[in-house]
Amino acid sequence: MEYIELVAKKIELNKDYVTELDSITGDGDHWVNMNMGFQRVLKDKESLASMKLSEMFQKVGMLIMSTVGGSSGVLYGSAYIKAAKVLGDETEMDINLLCEVLEAELNGIMERGKAKPGYKTMIDALYPAVTRFKESLEKGLDNHTALQELKQGAIDGMNSTKEMEAVKGRAYYQAQKGVGHIDPGAVTMCYQIEVLVDYLCK
């Protein structure tokens, strides 16, 4: 739950930046929705902390899905619920299981959102992050290096959305399809991965 608290804080501190981005390319409510979701999860932090891993992920997914409006709530909810299935009866998460969890979240978001990398969405931060993380582990790189690859993949992916044309969402209906602006969903996804890596490497 300490990780969730750190993510909530990171999102809270970046209200103006995320809202400004979303006002240009979306409905302007992405920050409000994300902040609402994580604050709602924090309200149940004591009961969540007492659950086994899979139950906690399932509950977080349900809380976000029932709290966050728009597509983000459904997508994030699906991601956590998909990850809960991967966790099964595991009581601890090592780096390989973390990779499986993140991959399950990615697949959950892509399946529910019917979106792919290159659509100018949160997937464009998560997909390269998971890919580089998985490749690093397969190459036998040490945990610290693999986690830094995870983080850098998210940052590079987030920045790559600036030159993309939106395939889905409100930006798709704009004349320039959001080109020239980073996708706010990719930004908040990147924040979550950055916080995760910094937390694990501290």
Side-chain angles (χ1 to χ4, degrees):
M1 289 311 300
E2 190 178 350
Y3 163 69
I4 294 289
E5 287 179 326
L6 291 170
V7 170
K9 188 70 177 175
K10 177 88 174 179
I11 289 175
E12 191 177 357
L13 289 173
N14 286 279
K15 174 183 178 182
D16 292 344
Y17 176 58
V18 174
T19 300
E20 181 184 353
L21 280 178
D22 195 37
S23 296
I24 296 169
T25 61
D27 296 328
D29 60 356
H30 181 66
W31 180 87
V32 172
N33 284 328
M34 293 298 293
N35 187 58
M36 192 186 303
F38 279 100
Q39 293 300 328
R40 177 64 188 85
V41 172
L42 284 181
K43 282 186 179 178
D44 280 17
K45 65 179 182 181
E46 290 184 9
S47 64
L48 287 166
S50 67
M51 297 177 180
K52 71 176 189 179
L53 278 175
S54 60
E55 290 174 346
M56 184 179 74
F57 271 70
Q58 179 83 19
K59 182 67 176 178
V60 168
M62 291 170 67
L63 287 172
I64 290 178
M65 200 176 285
S66 63
T67 306
V68 177
S71 59
S72 294
V74 174
L75 296 173
Y76 271 100
S78 299
Y80 274 94
I81 291 169
K82 196 90 171 177
K85 293 177 181 174
V86 170
L87 286 164
D89 294 326
E90 298 288 347
T91 56
E92 293 184 0
M93 197 185 313
D94 63 12
I95 197 161
N96 291 302
L97 184 54
L98 172 62
C99 187
E100 289 181 39
V101 164
L102 291 173
E103 189 171 27
E105 291 186 345
L106 170 65
N107 291 333
I109 292 170
M110 289 200 296
E111 287 169 12
R112 180 55 71 98
K114 295 182 170 45
K116 299 176 182 177
Y119 279 20
K120 198 178 181 78
T121 71
M122 66 173 86
I123 292 169
D124 293 302
L126 185 56
Y127 182 88
V130 171
T131 300
R132 285 171 64 166
F133 188 34
K134 192 174 180 180
E135 288 175 353
S136 297
L137 294 176
E138 288 171 351
K139 289 176 184 173
L141 300 182
D142 63 83
N143 291 355
H144 179 82
T145 303
L147 286 168
Q148 294 305 315
E149 284 295 304
L150 171 66
K151 180 178 174 178
Q152 196 59 49
I155 293 170
D156 292 347
M158 172 189 71
N159 289 330
S160 74
T161 63
K162 186 172 183 178
E163 303 308 321
M164 290 180 183
E165 288 188 357
V167 178
K168 285 179 169 284
R170 186 173 172 184
Y172 172 72
Y173 298 100
Q174 297 178 354
Q176 83 285 13
K177 299 188 187 302
V179 173
H181 303 284
I182 293 174
D183 178 70
V187 171
T188 51
M189 175 60 76
C190 184
Y191 285 166
Q192 292 169 71
I193 295 172
E194 284 182 304
V195 170
L196 174 66
V197 172
D198 291 345
Y199 176 70
L200 294 174
C201 290
K202 72 180 179 181

